[in-house]
Amino acid sequence: MLPASATEFFTHLLGPENVYSDKAHLIAYSYDATRERFEPDMVLFPRHEQDVSDILKYCNEHRIVIVPRGAGSGFTGGALPSSGGIVLAFEKHMNKILEIDMQNMVAIVQPGVVNMELQRAVEEVGLFYPPDPASQEYSTIGGNVNENAGGMRAAKYGITKDYV
């Protein structure tokens, strides 16, 4: 159960368009590919890193469980709020490729970037991002990191942890 001040705090921080506790949003963010269901108490859409930091600080102070969520395509329950709390959903705002550094062969991305979008972007500049989970068309890099996603190329090139 969230403290009474939570809705006001998060609405002030993120704006009402990024704070949801209505039944439709709670149901939409209550499951992943496992088809198990656990409703969160609230769904938040952080806009940038400072929002994430402020949300984490508040939740830590009030002992609120936080579940980060990419596309919810995983089969392990990693995106499920099994103890309630807050789902941090990154697909709305934090979904940009910030930089592809050719000199260091590093991409800096936000957690909501779709795997295939990153693969296409690095290929355009002559690089290669190997992890190719079956969900690559819709799974996000944040979720891939959380789940340590692999794919068909994993035997030859490795899995997500090898590229973080």
Side-chain angles (χ1 to χ4, degrees):
M1 192 74 166
L2 299 179
S5 63
T7 300
E8 182 179 337
F9 176 82
F10 294 126
T11 301
H12 177 74
L13 176 68
L14 303 172
E17 69 280 5
N18 294 309
V19 178
Y20 296 93
S21 56
D22 61 286
K23 195 66 170 174
H25 278 85
L26 300 183
I27 290 171
Y29 287 85
S30 71
Y31 62 92
D32 63 4
T34 65
R35 297 199 177 125
E36 294 287 328
R37 292 184 181 269
F38 300 94
E39 279 190 26
D41 297 307
M42 188 175 286
V43 179
L44 302 178
F45 293 90
R47 300 162 299 175
H48 43 69
E49 291 87 356
Q50 188 60 52
D51 284 349
V52 174
S53 180
D54 292 343
I55 291 165
L56 293 175
K57 182 178 178 187
Y58 180 90
C59 289
N60 187 47
E61 288 172 0
H62 293 88
R63 302 189 50 82
I64 300 169
V65 174
I66 299 171
V67 178
R69 182 181 174 99
S73 60
F75 283 95
T76 67
L80 296 178
S82 59
S83 299
I86 292 175
V87 166
L88 284 185
F90 294 105
E91 78 272 10
K92 186 175 180 182
H93 300 294
M94 295 187 69
N95 57 8
K96 295 167 190 67
I97 297 172
L98 301 176
E99 178 183 1
I100 297 175
D101 178 348
M102 293 290 294
Q103 183 174 356
N104 295 302
M105 295 196 315
V106 172
I108 300 172
V109 304
Q110 294 177 322
V113 170
V114 172
N115 179 298
M116 185 55 79
E117 291 175 15
L118 177 59
Q119 287 187 32
R120 288 182 181 129
V122 298
E123 285 172 5
E124 286 179 14
V125 295
L127 298 176
F128 177 57
Y129 181 68
D132 64 335
S135 59
Q136 66 187 342
E137 293 284 345
Y138 48 87
S139 66
T140 62
I141 295 299
N144 289 178
V145 170
N146 187 49
E147 295 293 318
N148 199 19
M152 294 299 289
R153 298 189 288 225
K156 183 173 183 179
Y157 297 107
I159 52 182
T160 300
K161 73 175 183 171
D162 300 313
Y163 296 93
V164 174

